[in-house]
Each structure stands twice: as C-alpha cells, then as structure tokens.
Amino acid sequence: MNKPKRRLVTIGTGSGLAVRGKGGPCHLVECDDTPLLLDCGEGAAGGLCALGMFDRLNRMFITHLHPDHVSGLFTLIQGMLIIGRRKPLEIFMPEEGIEPFRAMLKTVYLASKPHMVGDFEVNFIPLANGVVPNLNRGEMSVRAWPSDHFINDSVRGIEQRDAFGFSIESGGVRLVYTGDVSTTGCFEGELARGATLLCEAMHIDWDEVIQLARKHSLRQVIFTHVHPDRGPELEGFCEAREDVIAAVDGMKVAW
Ligand SMILES: [Zn+2]
Ligand SMILES: [Zn+2]
C-alpha cells in the first residue's frame, strides 16, 4: 500500500497587523486528495482559488473569531457561489460565532435562505473539545482542544469567548496547529514524536517552543503569525536551527 501523501500549504502567514503581500492566518491541510482548511484570514479566497479548491474544499475549522482568522470567509463563499458550487460546505467554529455569521451571510446577499448560498448548503457546526465526530470521509481525524488565548485578556460586555487549537491525525502521524495561544502549556500535551507543529509566533517565547520540540522529538516546527516588526528576526532564528521553518505565504511542506 502506498503511503498517504500529506501536505500543508501555508496560504496566509500574517498576523492581526496586516502587511502588503502577506495574507491572514489560513492553512490548507491535505491527506491524499482530502483537503481541510484551518482558519480563513484575509486573502484565503485568492490562495484557495490558485490551488483549485473552490469546488474541492468541503470543510474548514476556525480557531477563534478574531478578525485576522475569519476575515476571508465571505469572499471565499462568494467565489464558491460564482463558480457554481453545489457541494455542501461545513464550517466548524466556536459556537458564539454561528448565529452572527449566519446572519452576515444574509446581510451581504450571499444566503438566499437559511443554510443555502446559491446551490450549496453552508453548515455551521459548533466546536467542542475532543475528536470532531462524523468526519469519516478521507483519512484524517481532527481533534479540537482548548487554547488559553483569551486567558489574560477581557473585553467588557463579552462573556463567552472560546479559542481552540487543532490536532490533525492521519495514519499515526500528527500535525498540531496552535491557532493563537498565550502559553505553550495549552498545547504541550498534544505534541507527539514525529509530529509537525504549526505554531503561532506572536504571543509566545520561540526558545520555549524549540525546547518542547526537542523534548517531544517533533519532526519540524513551522512558525507563522508573527508581528511584522519581528519577521526578519524570526527568519534568522529559524535559519539557525534545523527543522525549524519561518512560514511564508504559499509554502508547501510535507508532514
Ligand atoms: Zn491572530
Ligand atoms: Zn487572536
């Protein structure tokens, strides 16, 4: 039996501070011919169109509702409408986003009736901790785990805010995507020998991440989501280390 082909495409590697030429957080994970999307930042539609994904992508997972992680959603759905997509699209996201996003699809004239955009269904599904059930198609399983991104930060008048990270598994091989976090503590338990870690670089200590990568014998660390002022510093940091990569938009990596 052939080994499955596992690929990650870092479509958007920017952060909450937009810069020209870098998209918001958006990553395509593929195992053989099954793709899924992790976050959907600004520029997602262009990146996915170039990869021929408007009709192939059936599932996306949103870590949390900060604009950099969701702002590409509407242009992506608009593109899918324009090409005449018919297959349903599933969007897994924190529950508090579902009703507002559904309403926005109507507001921006994409949804003609609830759940329908043109000829395709858009189904929002609330994330919960644990393995996402009923993902039987394809070779990948997805597990959502709680991120501590919002732990140090409160916004008056907003009670419920959830953030998740995701562990994707295929044939015993794992890819861990942190989304945004406050500490390494929330994802250390996900790290396993041979895993690929796709790690945000804005809110945590890079050296600490590398120590964990060595401790858990990871295959590689890919840093993304860095503050633009620290971009060159991150490139130098990664160049000096084996199996540590500073992601750029459109990069393709095996995992
Ligand atoms: Zn972010
Ligand atoms: Zn965030």
Side-chain angles (χ1 to χ4, degrees), residues 172-253:
V173 179
R174 190 178 290 184
L175 180 138
V176 177
Y177 173 50
T178 63
D180 290 2
V181 294
S182 286
T183 69
T184 58
C186 66
F187 64 83
E188 184 178 355
E190 298 299 315
L191 303 180
R193 173 176 288 276
T196 291
L197 174 63
L198 177 59
C199 189
E200 71 113 313
M202 189 138 169
H203 307 98
I204 49 174
D205 185 82
W206 306 339
D207 280 305
E208 207 180 305
V209 174
I210 300 307
Q211 278 169 27
L212 286 181
R214 303 292 177 239
K215 179 176 161 191
H216 295 280
S217 308
L218 300 191
R219 170 177 174 169
Q220 59 196 342
V221 176
I222 302 164
F223 280 114
T224 184
H225 195 283
V226 70
H227 190 292
D229 289 351
R230 295 192 73 198
E233 189 192 338
L234 182 66
E235 279 167 37
F237 180 88
C238 294
E239 268 168 30
R241 287 164 179 81
E242 218 183 312
D243 306 324
V244 183
I245 301 166
V248 293
D249 286 23
M251 189 179 79
K252 294 169 181 161
V253 195

Coordinates of all heavy atoms in Angstrom, one line a residue, residues 172-253:
G172 N -1.4 7.7 12.1 CA -0.5 7.7 13.2 C 0.4 8.9 13.1 O 1.3 9.1 14.0
V173 N 0.3 9.8 12.1 CA 1.2 11.0 12.0 C 0.3 12.2 12.4 O -0.9 12.3 12.0 CB 1.7 11.1 10.6 CG1 2.6 12.4 10.4 CG2 2.5 9.9 10.2
R174 N 0.9 13.1 13.1 CA 0.1 14.2 13.6 C 0.6 15.6 13.2 O 1.8 15.8 13.1 CB 0.2 14.2 15.2 CG -0.8 15.1 15.8 CD -0.8 15.0 17.3 NE -1.3 13.7 17.8 CZ -1.5 13.4 19.1 NH1 -1.1 14.3 20.0 NH2 -2.0 12.3 19.5
L175 N -0.3 16.5 13.0 CA 0.0 17.9 12.7 C -0.8 18.7 13.8 O -2.0 18.5 13.9 CB -0.4 18.3 11.3 CG -0.1 19.8 11.0 CD1 0.4 19.9 9.6 CD2 -1.3 20.7 11.1
V176 N 0.0 19.5 14.5 CA -0.7 20.3 15.6 C -0.7 21.8 15.2 O 0.4 22.3 14.8 CB 0.1 20.1 16.9 CG1 -0.6 21.0 18.0 CG2 0.1 18.7 17.4
Y177 N -1.8 22.4 15.1 CA -1.9 23.8 14.8 C -2.4 24.5 16.0 O -3.5 24.3 16.6 CB -3.0 24.0 13.7 CG -3.3 25.4 13.4 CD1 -2.2 26.4 13.2 CD2 -4.6 25.9 13.2 CE1 -2.5 27.7 12.9 CE2 -4.9 27.2 12.9 CZ -3.8 28.1 12.8 OH -4.1 29.4 12.5
T178 N -1.6 25.5 16.5 CA -1.9 26.2 17.8 C -3.0 27.2 17.7 O -3.6 27.5 18.6 CB -0.6 26.9 18.3 OG1 -0.3 27.9 17.4 CG2 0.5 25.9 18.5
G179 N -3.2 27.8 16.4 CA -4.0 29.0 16.4 C -3.3 30.0 17.3 O -2.1 30.0 17.3
D180 N -4.0 30.9 17.9 CA -3.4 31.9 18.8 C -3.4 31.3 20.2 O -4.4 30.8 20.7 CB -4.1 33.2 18.8 CG -3.9 34.0 17.5 OD1 -3.2 33.4 16.6 OD2 -4.4 35.1 17.4
V181 N -2.3 31.5 21.0 CA -2.3 31.0 22.3 C -1.6 32.0 23.2 O -1.0 33.0 22.7 CB -1.4 29.7 22.4 CG1 -2.1 28.5 21.7 CG2 0.0 29.8 21.9
S182 N -1.7 31.8 24.5 CA -1.0 32.7 25.5 C 0.3 32.0 26.0 O 1.3 32.7 26.3 CB -1.9 33.1 26.6 OG -2.8 34.0 26.2
T183 N 0.2 30.7 26.2 CA 1.4 30.0 26.7 C 1.5 28.6 26.0 O 0.5 28.2 25.3 CB 1.2 29.6 28.2 OG1 0.1 28.7 28.3 CG2 0.8 30.8 29.0
T184 N 2.7 28.0 26.1 CA 2.9 26.7 25.5 C 2.1 25.6 26.2 O 1.9 24.5 25.7 CB 4.4 26.3 25.4 OG1 4.9 26.4 26.8 CG2 5.2 27.3 24.6
G185 N 1.7 25.9 27.5 CA 1.1 24.9 28.3 C -0.1 24.3 27.7 O -0.5 23.2 28.0
C186 N -0.9 25.1 26.9 CA -2.1 24.6 26.4 C -2.0 23.6 25.3 O -2.9 22.9 24.9 CB -3.1 25.7 26.0 SG -2.5 26.7 24.6
F187 N -0.8 23.6 24.7 CA -0.6 22.6 23.6 C 0.5 21.6 23.8 O 0.7 20.6 23.0 CB -0.4 23.3 22.2 CG 0.8 24.1 22.1 CD1 2.0 23.5 21.7 CD2 0.8 25.5 22.2 CE1 3.2 24.3 21.5 CE2 1.9 26.3 22.1 CZ 3.1 25.7 21.7
E188 N 1.2 21.7 24.9 CA 2.3 20.7 25.1 C 1.8 19.3 25.1 O 2.4 18.3 24.5 CB 3.1 20.9 26.4 CG 4.3 19.9 26.5 CD 5.2 20.1 27.7 OE1 5.0 21.0 28.5 OE2 6.1 19.2 27.8
G189 N 0.6 19.1 25.7 CA 0.0 17.7 25.8 C -0.3 17.1 24.4 O -0.5 15.9 24.3
E190 N -0.4 18.0 23.4 CA -0.7 17.5 22.0 C 0.5 17.0 21.2 O 0.4 16.4 20.2 CB -1.4 18.6 21.2 CG -2.7 19.1 21.8 CD -3.7 18.0 21.8 OE1 -3.8 17.3 20.8 OE2 -4.4 17.9 22.9
L191 N 1.7 17.4 21.8 CA 2.9 17.1 21.0 C 3.3 15.6 21.1 O 3.3 15.1 22.2 CB 4.1 18.0 21.5 CG 3.8 19.5 21.4 CD1 5.0 20.3 21.9 CD2 3.4 19.9 20.0
A192 N 3.6 15.0 20.0 CA 4.0 13.6 20.0 C 5.2 13.4 19.1 O 5.4 14.2 18.1 CB 2.8 12.8 19.5
R193 N 5.9 12.4 19.3 CA 7.1 12.0 18.5 C 6.7 12.1 17.0 O 5.7 11.5 16.6 CB 7.6 10.7 18.9 CG 8.7 10.1 18.0 CD 9.2 8.8 18.5 NE 10.0 9.0 19.8 CZ 11.3 9.3 19.8 NH1 12.0 9.4 18.6 NH2 11.9 9.4 20.9
G194 N 7.6 12.8 16.2 CA 7.3 12.8 14.7 C 6.3 13.8 14.3 O 6.1 13.9 13.1
A195 N 5.7 14.5 15.2 CA 4.6 15.4 14.8 C 5.2 16.7 14.2 O 6.4 17.1 14.4 CB 3.8 15.8 16.0
T196 N 4.4 17.3 13.4 CA 4.7 18.7 12.9 C 3.9 19.7 13.7 O 2.7 19.5 13.9 CB 4.3 18.8 11.4 OG1 5.2 18.0 10.6 CG2 4.4 20.2 10.9
L197 N 4.6 20.7 14.2 CA 3.9 21.8 14.9 C 3.9 23.0 14.1 O 4.9 23.6 13.7 CB 4.7 22.0 16.2 CG 4.2 23.2 17.1 CD1 2.8 23.0 17.6 CD2 5.1 23.4 18.3
L198 N 2.7 23.5 13.8 CA 2.4 24.7 13.1 C 2.0 25.7 14.2 O 1.0 25.7 14.8 CB 1.3 24.6 12.1 CG 0.9 25.8 11.3 CD1 2.0 26.4 10.5 CD2 -0.3 25.5 10.4
C199 N 3.0 26.6 14.5 CA 2.9 27.4 15.8 C 2.9 28.9 15.5 O 3.7 29.4 14.8 CB 4.2 27.0 16.6 SG 4.1 27.6 18.3
E200 N 2.0 29.5 16.2 CA 1.9 31.0 16.1 C 3.2 31.6 16.8 O 3.7 31.0 17.8 CB 0.7 31.5 16.7 CG 0.6 31.4 18.3 CD 0.6 32.8 18.9 OE1 1.5 33.6 18.5 OE2 -0.2 33.0 19.8
A201 N 3.7 32.7 16.3 CA 4.9 33.2 16.8 C 4.8 34.6 17.4 O 5.7 35.3 17.6 CB 6.0 33.3 15.7
M202 N 3.5 35.0 17.7 CA 3.3 36.4 18.1 C 3.2 36.5 19.6 O 3.7 37.5 20.2 CB 2.0 36.9 17.5 CG 1.8 38.4 17.7 SD 1.1 39.1 16.2 CE 0.6 40.7 16.8
H203 N 2.7 35.5 20.3 CA 2.4 35.7 21.7 C 3.3 34.8 22.6 O 3.1 34.8 23.8 CB 0.9 35.4 22.0 CG -0.1 36.1 21.2 ND1 -0.7 35.5 20.1 CD2 -0.6 37.4 21.3 CE1 -1.5 36.4 19.5 NE2 -1.4 37.5 20.2
I204 N 4.1 34.0 22.1 CA 4.9 33.1 22.9 C 6.4 33.1 22.7 O 6.8 33.6 21.6 CB 4.4 31.6 22.8 CG1 4.3 31.2 21.3 CG2 3.1 31.4 23.5 CD1 4.0 29.7 21.2
D205 N 7.1 32.5 23.6 CA 8.6 32.5 23.5 C 9.1 31.5 22.6 O 8.8 30.3 22.7 CB 9.1 32.3 24.9 CG 10.6 32.4 25.0 OD1 11.1 33.5 25.1 OD2 11.3 31.3 24.9
W206 N 9.8 31.9 21.5 CA 10.2 30.9 20.5 C 11.2 29.8 21.1 O 11.1 28.7 20.7 CB 10.9 31.6 19.3 CG 10.1 32.8 18.7 CD1 8.8 33.0 18.8 CD2 10.6 33.9 18.0 NE1 8.4 34.1 18.2 CE2 9.5 34.7 17.6 CE3 11.9 34.3 17.6 CZ2 9.7 35.9 16.9 CZ3 12.0 35.4 16.8 CH2 10.9 36.2 16.5
D207 N 12.1 30.3 21.9 CA 13.0 29.3 22.5 C 12.3 28.2 23.3 O 12.7 27.0 23.2 CB 14.0 30.0 23.4 CG 15.1 30.7 22.6 OD1 15.8 30.0 21.8 OD2 15.3 31.9 22.8
E208 N 11.3 28.6 24.0 CA 10.5 27.7 24.8 C 9.8 26.6 23.8 O 9.8 25.4 24.2 CB 9.4 28.4 25.5 CG 8.9 27.8 26.8 CD 7.9 28.7 27.4 OE1 8.1 29.9 27.7 OE2 6.8 28.1 27.7
V209 N 9.4 27.1 22.7 CA 8.7 26.2 21.7 C 9.8 25.2 21.2 O 9.5 24.0 21.1 CB 8.1 27.0 20.5 CG1 7.6 26.0 19.5 CG2 7.0 27.9 21.0
I210 N 11.0 25.7 20.9 CA 12.0 24.8 20.4 C 12.4 23.7 21.5 O 12.6 22.6 21.2 CB 13.3 25.6 20.0 CG1 12.9 26.6 18.9 CG2 14.4 24.7 19.5 CD1 12.2 25.9 17.7
Q211 N 12.5 24.2 22.7 CA 12.8 23.2 23.8 C 11.8 22.1 23.8 O 12.1 20.9 24.0 CB 12.8 23.9 25.2 CG 14.1 24.6 25.5 CD 14.0 25.5 26.7 OE1 13.2 25.3 27.6 NE2 14.8 26.6 26.7
L212 N 10.5 22.5 23.7 CA 9.4 21.5 23.7 C 9.6 20.5 22.5 O 9.3 19.3 22.6 CB 8.1 22.1 23.7 CG 7.6 22.8 25.0 CD1 6.2 23.4 24.8 CD2 7.6 21.8 26.1
A213 N 9.9 21.1 21.4 CA 10.0 20.4 20.1 C 11.1 19.3 20.3 O 11.0 18.1 19.9 CB 10.4 21.3 19.0
R214 N 12.2 19.7 20.9 CA 13.3 18.7 21.2 C 12.9 17.6 22.2 O 13.1 16.5 22.0 CB 14.6 19.4 21.7 CG 15.1 20.5 20.7 CD 15.7 20.0 19.4 NE 16.1 21.1 18.5 CZ 15.6 21.3 17.3 NH1 14.7 20.5 16.8 NH2 16.0 22.3 16.6
K215 N 12.2 18.1 23.2 CA 11.8 17.2 24.3 C 10.9 16.1 23.7 O 10.9 15.0 24.1 CB 11.1 18.0 25.4 CG 10.5 17.2 26.6 CD 9.9 18.2 27.6 CE 9.0 17.5 28.5 NZ 8.2 18.4 29.3
H216 N 10.0 16.5 22.8 CA 9.0 15.6 22.3 C 9.4 15.0 20.9 O 8.5 14.4 20.3 CB 7.6 16.2 22.2 CG 7.1 16.6 23.6 ND1 6.5 15.7 24.4 CD2 7.1 17.8 24.3 CE1 6.1 16.3 25.5 NE2 6.5 17.6 25.5
S217 N 10.6 15.2 20.5 CA 11.1 14.7 19.2 C 10.2 14.9 18.1 O 9.8 14.0 17.3 CB 11.3 13.1 19.3 OG 12.1 12.8 20.5
L218 N 9.9 16.2 17.9 CA 9.0 16.6 16.8 C 9.8 16.5 15.5 O 11.0 16.6 15.4 CB 8.5 18.0 17.0 CG 7.6 18.3 18.2 CD1 7.0 19.7 18.1 CD2 6.6 17.3 18.4
R219 N 9.0 16.3 14.4 CA 9.6 16.3 13.1 C 10.1 17.7 12.7 O 11.2 17.9 12.1 CB 8.6 15.7 12.1 CG 9.1 15.8 10.6 CD 8.1 15.2 9.7 NE 8.4 15.4 8.3 CZ 7.9 14.8 7.3 NH1 6.9 14.0 7.5 NH2 8.3 15.1 6.1
Q220 N 9.2 18.6 12.9 CA 9.5 20.0 12.5 C 8.6 21.0 13.2 O 7.5 20.7 13.6 CB 9.4 20.2 10.9 CG 8.0 19.8 10.5 CD 7.9 19.6 9.0 OE1 8.8 20.0 8.2 NE2 6.8 18.9 8.5
V221 N 9.1 22.2 13.3 CA 8.3 23.3 13.8 C 8.2 24.4 12.7 O 9.2 24.7 12.1 CB 9.0 24.0 15.0 CG1 8.1 25.2 15.5 CG2 9.1 23.0 16.2
I222 N 7.0 24.8 12.4 CA 6.8 25.8 11.4 C 6.2 27.0 12.1 O 5.0 26.9 12.6 CB 5.8 25.3 10.3 CG1 6.5 24.1 9.6 CG2 5.6 26.4 9.2 CD1 5.5 23.3 8.8
F223 N 6.9 28.1 12.2 CA 6.4 29.3 12.8 C 5.6 30.2 11.8 O 6.0 30.4 10.7 CB 7.5 30.1 13.4 CG 8.0 29.6 14.7 CD1 9.3 29.1 14.8 CD2 7.2 29.7 15.9 CE1 9.8 28.7 16.0 CE2 7.7 29.2 17.1 CZ 9.0 28.7 17.2
T224 N 4.5 30.7 12.3 CA 3.6 31.5 11.4 C 3.1 32.6 12.3 O 3.3 32.6 13.5 CB 2.5 30.7 10.8 OG1 1.8 31.5 9.9 CG2 1.6 30.1 11.8
H225 N 2.3 33.6 11.8 CA 1.6 34.6 12.6 C 2.5 35.3 13.5 O 2.4 35.4 14.7 CB 0.5 33.8 13.5 CG -0.5 34.7 14.1 ND1 -0.3 35.4 15.2 CD2 -1.8 34.9 13.8 CE1 -1.4 36.1 15.6 NE2 -2.3 35.7 14.8
V226 N 3.5 36.0 12.8 CA 4.5 36.8 13.6 C 4.2 38.3 13.4 O 3.6 38.7 12.4 CB 5.9 36.5 13.1 CG1 6.2 37.0 11.7 CG2 6.9 37.0 14.1
H227 N 4.4 39.1 14.4 CA 4.3 40.6 14.3 C 5.3 41.0 13.2 O 6.4 40.6 13.2 CB 4.7 41.2 15.6 CG 4.4 42.7 15.6 ND1 5.0 43.6 14.9 CD2 3.4 43.4 16.3 CE1 4.5 44.8 15.1 NE2 3.5 44.7 16.0
P228 N 4.8 41.9 12.2 CA 5.7 42.2 11.1 C 7.1 42.8 11.5 O 8.1 42.6 10.9 CB 4.9 43.3 10.4 CG 3.5 43.2 10.9 CD 3.5 42.4 12.2
D229 N 7.1 43.5 12.7 CA 8.4 44.1 13.1 C 9.4 43.0 13.5 O 10.6 43.2 13.5 CB 8.2 44.9 14.4 CG 7.4 46.2 14.1 OD1 7.3 46.5 12.9 OD2 7.0 46.9 15.0
R230 N 8.9 41.8 13.8 CA 9.8 40.7 14.2 C 10.0 39.7 13.1 O 10.7 38.6 13.4 CB 9.2 40.1 15.5 CG 9.2 41.0 16.7 CD 9.0 40.2 18.0 NE 10.1 39.4 18.4 CZ 10.1 38.4 19.3 NH1 8.9 38.1 19.8 NH2 11.2 37.8 19.6
G231 N 9.5 39.9 11.9 CA 9.6 39.0 10.8 C 11.1 38.6 10.5 O 11.4 37.4 10.5
P232 N 11.9 39.6 10.3 CA 13.3 39.3 10.0 C 14.0 38.5 11.1 O 14.8 37.6 10.8 CB 14.0 40.7 9.7 CG 12.8 41.6 9.4 CD 11.6 41.0 10.2
E233 N 13.7 38.9 12.3 CA 14.3 38.2 13.5 C 13.9 36.8 13.5 O 14.7 35.9 13.8 CB 13.8 38.9 14.8 CG 14.5 38.5 16.0 CD 13.7 39.0 17.3 OE1 13.0 40.0 17.1 OE2 13.9 38.4 18.3
L234 N 12.6 36.5 13.2 CA 12.2 35.1 13.2 C 12.9 34.3 12.0 O 13.2 33.2 12.2 CB 10.6 35.1 13.0 CG 10.0 33.6 13.0 CD1 10.2 33.0 14.3 CD2 8.6 33.7 12.5
E235 N 13.0 35.0 10.9 CA 13.8 34.3 9.8 C 15.1 33.9 10.2 O 15.6 32.7 10.0 CB 13.9 35.2 8.6 CG 12.6 35.2 7.7 CD 12.6 36.3 6.7 OE1 13.7 36.6 6.1 OE2 11.5 36.9 6.5
G236 N 15.9 34.8 10.9 CA 17.2 34.5 11.4 C 17.2 33.3 12.4 O 18.0 32.4 12.4
F237 N 16.2 33.4 13.3 CA 16.0 32.4 14.4 C 15.8 31.0 13.7 O 16.4 30.0 14.2 CB 14.8 32.8 15.2 CG 14.5 31.8 16.3 CD1 15.1 32.0 17.6 CD2 13.6 30.7 16.2 CE1 14.8 31.1 18.6 CE2 13.3 29.9 17.2 CZ 13.9 30.0 18.4
C238 N 15.0 30.9 12.7 CA 14.7 29.6 12.1 C 15.9 29.1 11.2 O 16.2 27.9 11.2 CB 13.5 29.8 11.2 SG 12.0 30.1 12.2
E239 N 16.6 30.1 10.5 CA 17.7 29.7 9.7 C 18.8 29.0 10.5 O 19.5 28.1 10.1 CB 18.3 30.9 9.0 CG 17.7 31.1 7.6 CD 18.1 32.4 7.0 OE1 19.2 33.0 7.3 OE2 17.2 33.0 6.3
A240 N 18.9 29.4 11.8 CA 20.0 28.9 12.6 C 19.6 27.6 13.2 O 20.4 27.0 14.0 CB 20.3 29.9 13.7
R241 N 18.5 27.1 13.0 CA 18.0 25.8 13.6 C 17.5 24.8 12.6 O 16.8 25.2 11.6 CB 16.9 26.1 14.6 CG 17.5 26.8 15.9 CD 16.4 27.4 16.7 NE 17.0 28.0 17.9 CZ 17.6 29.2 17.9 NH1 17.6 29.9 16.8 NH2 18.1 29.7 19.0
E242 N 17.9 23.6 12.8 CA 17.4 22.5 11.9 C 15.9 22.2 12.1 O 15.5 22.3 13.3 CB 18.2 21.3 12.3 CG 18.6 20.5 11.0 CD 19.4 19.2 11.4 OE1 20.3 19.3 12.3 OE2 19.0 18.1 10.9
D243 N 15.2 21.9 11.1 CA 13.8 21.6 11.1 C 12.9 22.6 11.8 O 11.9 22.3 12.4 CB 13.7 20.3 11.9 CG 14.5 19.2 11.3 OD1 14.7 19.1 10.1 OD2 15.0 18.3 12.1
V244 N 13.4 23.9 11.7 CA 12.5 25.0 12.2 C 12.4 26.0 11.0 O 13.4 26.4 10.4 CB 13.2 25.7 13.4 CG1 12.2 26.8 13.9 CG2 13.5 24.7 14.5
I245 N 11.2 26.2 10.7 CA 10.9 27.0 9.4 C 10.0 28.2 9.7 O 9.1 28.1 10.5 CB 10.1 26.1 8.4 CG1 10.9 24.8 8.1 CG2 9.8 26.8 7.1 CD1 10.0 23.7 7.5
A246 N 10.4 29.3 9.1 CA 9.6 30.5 9.2 C 8.6 30.5 8.0 O 9.1 30.5 6.8 CB 10.4 31.8 9.2
A247 N 7.4 30.3 8.2 CA 6.4 30.1 7.0 C 6.3 31.4 6.2 O 6.4 32.5 6.7 CB 5.1 29.7 7.6
V248 N 6.2 31.2 4.9 CA 5.8 32.3 4.0 C 4.6 31.9 3.3 O 4.2 30.7 3.2 CB 6.9 32.6 3.0 CG1 8.2 33.2 3.7 CG2 7.3 31.4 2.2
D249 N 3.8 32.8 2.8 CA 2.6 32.5 2.1 C 2.8 31.6 0.9 O 3.7 31.8 0.1 CB 1.9 33.8 1.6 CG 1.3 34.6 2.7 OD1 1.7 34.4 3.9 OD2 0.4 35.4 2.4
G250 N 2.0 30.6 0.8 CA 2.1 29.7 -0.4 C 3.1 28.6 -0.2 O 3.3 27.8 -1.2
M251 N 3.7 28.5 0.9 CA 4.7 27.4 1.1 C 4.1 26.0 1.2 O 3.0 25.9 1.8 CB 5.5 27.7 2.4 CG 6.7 26.9 2.7 SD 7.5 27.4 4.3 CE 6.4 26.6 5.4
K252 N 4.7 25.0 0.6 CA 4.1 23.7 0.7 C 5.1 22.8 1.5 O 6.3 22.7 1.1 CB 3.9 23.1 -0.7 CG 2.8 23.9 -1.4 CD 2.7 23.6 -2.9 CE 1.6 24.4 -3.5 NZ 1.7 24.5 -4.9
V253 N 4.6 22.1 2.5 CA 5.5 21.3 3.3 C 4.8 19.9 3.5 O 3.6 19.8 3.7 CB 5.7 21.9 4.7 CG1 6.8 21.3 5.5 CG2 5.8 23.4 4.7

